[in-house]
Every structure is written in structure tokens, then in C-alpha cells.
Amino acid sequence: MAHYENLRLILGDQLHAGHSWFNCVEPDTLYVIAELKQETDYVRHHVQKVCGFFAAMEHFARQLTAAGHQVLHLTLDETSHWANLDAMLSELAQRYTINHFEYQQPDEYRLSEQLEKMRLPRGIVPNVWDTEHFLLPHGELCHYFKAGQHVRMESFYRRMRRRFNILMNGDEPLGQRWNFDTENRQRLREEDIEVIPRPLLFSNDVSAILDRLKKHGIKALGTPAEQLPWPVNREQSLQLLAHFVQACLPDFGRFQDAMTGNGEHRWSLYHSRLSFALNCKLLTPEEVLNAAIARYRQHPAEVELAQVEGFVRQILGWREYVRGVYWANMPDYAESNVLDAGRILPDFFWTGETRMHCLREAIGQSLEHAYAHHIQRLMVTGNFCLLTGIDPAQVDQWYLGIYMDALQWVELPNTRGMSQFADGGLIATKPYAASGNYVSKMSDYCKDCYYQVRERTGARSCPLNSLYWHFMSRHRNRLERNPRIGMIYRNWDKMTAGARSALLDRAEGILADMESL
């Protein structure tokens, strides 16, 4: 049996070939990359998500081996007898008579706690490295975020722009504006829909992985794809980045909030779909930002500042921001539920079978592709869960499982905070609650819906309309002093008592039988 001085663990979302670990080949160091039931079973994942991570891990192991590193890549066939990560590492440490163990700081709190509390044989003390991926090192997050304190995203974003000198002219923002939100909320017209670019899809054979999942009884959700369309290696990730900046970035900002159910290839619109490659670290945020900004600088007539700024804000602002909120507030954040929401998630979230066209489109797309863009997540599925008062723990489980890019550090602040307002405003300054009018304004979903978006009561009225007012009414004590939504209650008070009663009655009927929607 071979002996190694050092064992280094590589998690499935730590596939960063540029990490300093790999600057030189160390024959006495063994790298371990492992498929574990612990990771397939802590939540029910989309089958494409599991296949994507396992395929990417396999490609990365091959890449390291080709570069001369000593790599132990273990599939479920080799790991299924271990109860968890701890058991595997303890046995490997003994098998290879390891003297030192190293790992990169996990992005998820649960894994960080597990590795920190783990006890290895012979008193081996772990050494923890930064992942060297995010713009803000893990050790610096405490300088930007404090537990229980609201940090305004816009302020954080501006600090990041200045610190990293991105889209800046000296100390001022390029174009004399920090963001172009007001210009980036356009609805797709019919002529716009006709020219939406086809998404770049890959054909990665994951049939062997699917066989392993079946063999080991892994329960997954969603539509499997033997030819996985997602990037699973560095080369494919760079191809997807190049496709985005060339074909999608020119209209990204303009239509980033738009939705359409019109056409098979239009589910990705102008979005980059780079989040999976970013979150498992096949790409770095710097190179993604640099590619987008380079396209703007080289072709300003094709890519306006508003388009590139909207994308920069998602990567430099929001992505780094939610990570900071997560680490500053865990583990309590995962239990936050200030609105006391406790209803059960309807079964149609697992099937897409509902007469509400907006939900049918967003859920159906999620089940088929393991993907939906941020407005579908926030203002369709998220809005419905918020208005109906679904238990945020169930909302977390659904979002964390169904999306290709979902890891807890990014999912939890987006659902508990931004979407469900369960944190009481730690992230969002108001609940992102909306009636059917918002969906109608930003999509073409409503025109083919069983329900009528312009009706507020009655059996065929859009459920979101009465649910919206029911939500606002039942949380009035908490929300009416919020300066951003105080006007809503003045409008409510102007209604007749009969109109208010009809809205609440319609909503109560929906809440009593959500499965029939």
C-alpha cells in the first residue's frame, strides 16, 4: 500500500484548477475527489444536478492526473459503504498512513462544521485553505457583514466597484451612474422573441452516472438527460462564457427580468447560465467579469454600458453579497421565519401540473432543465410561496434541490431573505410580494392562462390578486410602517368593506384547497 505524507480533500464545488495547491506537483500528496451518498441524500436533488457535479468531478480528476498529480477519484461504487465524509477520510488516513490533512474552506456551513469537528486518527490536525475563488477572501467577510445587521446591497456593490476598480472612472462610476435598473426592466415584444438566441448546449454522456444512481438507490427529481447539456469541464465552461458575451450580453440587461413561454429554445433567454460553472469553480468571477467588460470596451456600439453593468452587478454585487450575509448569520439564519409561515408546499411544485400558467411554465422548466432565471424564481414560484405562507424550510428544500446551481450559501439568502422575507428584512427592505399584474407586465404567461389576470375575485380570477391582498392584510402590523409599501395600505383602506371582504374570501378559498389550482 502506497504511503503519502499529505492528503488533500477536493469537494465537488471546488474544481478550481488555478488554486495554488496545483502550482507544483508534489508526489507525496494525494488528492481525493469522491462521490458520496451524504451529498446526494441531504436533500432530494435534480437528477441533472447530481450528474453535472459527478461528471465535473470526474473530468477534474482526469485533468489533475494528466498534470502529474496523485489523485484518488472514488465513485459511489467505492464509497457507498461509508456512512459519511468523516468515515471515509478516517479510513483513507489510516490506509495511506497520512501525516497531514488539508482541505479548502467549504462554501456551505454544514460541511464547514463537519470538517471542523472531525477527528482523524493519530491526532492529525487539519490545515484549512481559502478556496481562492471569490473576490472577497473568506477571512475578510467579517469586515463587510455583521450578524443581524442589514447591509444595503447597493452600498456593498459600490464598495466592491471601487475596491476592484470595475467600471470606474477614477472614483466615479463609468457613465456617471452606479446602476441602470430602471432601463433593465423591459418586456419582450413578439419581434424580440423571434430573435432570442438559441442556448449553447453540450452533449455529455452521463449514462454511467445514471446507472450508478439507480444501482445505489439515489432518489432524485426532474427529467434525466443521458446527454447532459450543462458544461462539466473547464473547456466547455469557457465556451459557454464566450457564447454569452457574444450572443447574449448585448441584450442581457434590457431583458434580464423578462419571461416568456413562447418557444422551445427560449427558456434561457439572454441569461448566461454560467452559475453552475461558477459555483463549482470551473470559472472564476474575475474572468467572467473581465470577459463581459472586454466585450463592452471592444464593441461599445453593440454592447451598451447598461447591459454590461446589469451583469456585473449580479456577479460582483449580488453573488458576493449573499455569500457575506450567509456566513455572517449562520446557523441561525437557516431557522428564520419571522412571518410564521407554515403551510405545506403544494404537490404541483413536484409535477408542474397546475392551471396557473406562470407556475406551470416556471416549475415545468425547472423540472425539465434544472434551471429558471432569477425573476422566475423570485416573482413566480417565490412570490406564490410568500403570498400563501409556505413553510420556508420546505421552500428551501425545493429550491436547493431543483436547481443546477443551488448550493446552500447562495440558495438560503435568496429564499429565506430575498424571496420569503423570512429574515424580517436582513436582505430585502420590503417583501417582494406582487399581484398578477407584475407577471402580466413582465411576461406573456397571462394571455394563455385559465385564470383572468384582470379579475380580482370570482372562480376564474388570478389567484395572485386576492392572495396579494390577503398577505398584506394579515401582515399589516409588521409592514404598514415600512415607507416603501405604506401606500399599499392606503389603497386597501379606500376600498369598500364589501370589496375587501370579497378579496379575503377568495384568498381563503384558495388557501384551503391550493392543490386544485
Side-chain angles (χ1 to χ4, degrees):
M1 182 66 65
H3 163 74
Y4 293 95
E5 181 68 19
N6 192 28
L7 186 151
R8 284 175 170 171
L9 173 68
I10 300 173
L11 297 173
D13 62 345
Q14 295 177 344
L15 312 181
H16 177 25
H19 194 279
S20 57
W21 270 2
F22 312 120
N23 288 346
C24 61
V25 173
E26 301 175 14
D28 284 343
T29 294
L30 177 66
Y31 292 95
V32 175
I33 302 174
E35 301 173 0
L36 288 169
K37 290 194 75 172
Q38 167 188 305
E39 295 305 292
T40 61
D41 293 356
Y42 73 91
V43 70
R44 191 177 181 187
H45 299 282
H46 198 293
V47 63
Q48 291 185 39
K49 177 184 178 183
V50 179
C51 288
F53 273 100
F54 281 6
M57 291 158 64
E58 182 177 350
H59 276 273
F60 193 67
R62 290 177 186 168
Q63 179 184 351
L64 292 183
T65 300
H69 299 285
Q70 301 299 308
V71 181
L72 181 63
H73 174 238
L74 301 172
T75 71
L76 286 173
D77 291 338
E78 290 86 37
T79 67
S80 60
H81 66 285
W82 284 311
N84 51 35
L85 177 63
D86 305 41
M88 182 192 76
L89 291 173
S90 292
E91 184 172 321
L92 293 179
Q94 290 180 320
R95 181 188 303 175
Y96 296 104
T97 59
I98 299 298
N99 290 322
H100 303 283
F101 171 63
E102 297 182 321
Y103 65 91
Q104 296 174 31
Q105 171 63 47
D107 291 336
E108 294 192 310
Y109 182 87
R110 64 180 180 87
L111 282 168
S112 181
E113 285 288 286
Q114 183 179 4
L115 286 166
E116 188 175 317
K117 293 175 180 178
M118 182 179 60
R119 293 295 177 262
L120 291 173
R122 295 183 288 109
I124 298 173
V125 178
N127 183 28
V128 187
W129 293 63
D130 193 274
T131 61
E132 302 174 7
H133 168 80
F134 293 93
L135 287 124
L136 286 181
H138 187 84
E140 292 189 29
L141 293 175
C142 60
H143 301 313
Y144 291 79
F145 301 92
K146 305 293 182 185
Q149 292 185 11
H150 169 70
V151 175
R152 187 167 172 257
M153 208 292 280
E154 180 67 20
S155 301
F156 171 79
Y157 172 53
R158 294 182 186 188
R159 289 182 68 182
M160 294 289 280
R161 288 269 296 271
R162 287 192 172 105
R163 171 170 173 172
F164 295 100
N165 193 30
I166 292 178
L167 294 182
M168 297 296 295
N169 182 13
D171 199 44
E172 296 299 319
L174 212 58
Q176 299 301 306
R177 290 174 59 183
W178 287 104
N179 75 61
F180 294 79
D181 250 358
T182 55
E183 297 171 25
N184 290 343
R185 296 171 181 167
Q186 295 185 31
R187 174 194 174 118
L188 290 159
R189 301 165 299 179
E190 287 189 18
E191 55 267 36
D192 298 320
I193 293 173
E194 292 301 317
V195 296
I196 293 172
R198 287 186 174 275
L200 175 62
L201 305 176
F202 301 95
S203 297
N204 294 299
D205 184 359
V206 292
S207 56
I209 296 175
L210 289 170
D211 288 343
R212 285 203 298 279
L213 299 183
K214 182 178 181 181
K215 175 183 176 181
H216 294 282
I218 305 303
K219 298 187 184 305
L221 59 93
T223 304
E226 286 199 358
Q227 300 297 315
L228 191 72
W230 293 92
V232 297
N233 56 43
R234 172 93 173 140
E235 180 183 6
Q236 291 178 350
S237 300
L238 289 171
Q239 290 174 14
L240 188 58
L241 173 58
H243 172 79
F244 167 68
V245 299
Q246 181 62 38
C248 302
L249 184 60
D251 284 306
F252 168 79
R254 185 174 294 114
F255 298 123
Q256 66 177 314
D257 287 1
M259 299 174 285
T260 181
N262 196 336
E264 288 185 3
H265 77 274
R266 293 166 182 139
W267 54 273
S268 63
L269 301 177
Y270 291 93
H271 294 274
S272 73
R273 294 184 300 110
L274 291 169
S275 50
F276 171 71
L278 272 166
N279 290 355
C280 63
K281 302 179 180 56
L282 292 170
L283 295 174
T284 69
E286 291 99 328
E287 66 188 335
V288 169
L289 290 168
N290 289 340
I293 293 168
R295 177 86 164 89
Y296 157 69
R297 293 192 184 281
Q298 292 164 10
H299 302 280
E302 298 177 16
V303 181
E304 300 169 353
L305 179 58
Q307 312 309 310
V308 74
E309 187 279 320
F311 182 69
V312 166
R313 186 166 1 108
Q314 288 195 3
I315 306 298
L316 178 68
W318 188 249
R319 187 170 184 265
E320 298 279 332
Y321 174 80
V322 296
R323 173 174 170 256
V325 170
Y326 174 82
W327 279 105
N329 292 283
M330 286 295 284
D332 294 343
Y333 197 82
E335 304 300 323
S336 56
N337 185 11
V338 300
L339 299 183
D340 294 322
R343 288 190 173 87
I344 296 172
L345 192 70
D347 286 346
F348 58 72
F349 268 73
W350 308 101
T351 65
E353 296 174 2
T354 170
R355 290 177 294 187
M356 292 183 68
H357 192 191
C358 58
L359 284 174
R360 188 168 70 247
E361 285 286 342
I363 295 171
Q365 175 182 311
S366 302
L367 290 167
E368 182 177 358
H369 300 292
Y371 173 82
H373 72 68
H374 66 284
I375 293 298
Q376 291 172 309
R377 301 187 200 194
L378 175 65
M379 300 306 299
V380 179
T381 51
N383 181 48
F384 179 85
C385 291
L386 173 68
L387 298 183
T388 55
I390 304 298
D391 178 357
Q394 295 194 22
V395 180
D396 284 339
Q397 293 288 300
W398 189 80
Y399 277 95
L400 184 56
I402 201 167
Y403 290 119
M404 194 76 188
D405 56 6
L407 296 167
Q408 194 192 53
W409 68 269
V410 67
E411 175 273 326
L412 198 62
N414 272 289
T415 53
R416 292 263 173 173
M418 189 69 172
S419 171
Q420 300 306 293
F421 203 68
D423 65 2
L426 199 59
I427 288 182
T429 54
K430 71 177 184 67
Y432 275 81
S435 67
N437 182 59
Y438 178 87
V439 178
S440 178
K441 177 183 176 182
M442 296 307 301
S443 78
D444 53 19
Y445 294 156
C446 298
K447 66 179 182 181
D448 297 320
C449 188
Y450 170 84
Y451 298 103
Q452 303 302 306
V453 71
R454 288 184 173 82
E455 294 183 15
R456 299 199 297 181
T457 57
R460 295 287 294 272
S461 65
C462 173
L464 297 178
N465 292 339
S466 57
L467 288 171
Y468 171 80
W469 287 112
H470 192 278
F471 172 85
M472 299 304 294
S473 175
R474 71 180 185 267
H475 294 299
R476 182 165 190 164
N477 288 342
R478 175 178 291 275
L479 300 177
E480 70 176 332
R481 289 182 295 278
N482 186 311
R484 295 190 66 189
I485 54 178
M487 180 182 65
I488 300 298
Y489 291 102
R490 291 193 289 273
N491 293 337
W492 173 251
D493 292 338
K494 289 177 184 177
M495 295 183 195
T496 65
R500 292 197 297 267
S501 179
L503 282 165
L504 296 179
D505 287 347
R506 166 63 171 152
E508 288 288 350
I510 294 169
L511 293 171
D513 188 17
M514 284 191 285
E515 296 294 353
S516 67
L517 288 174

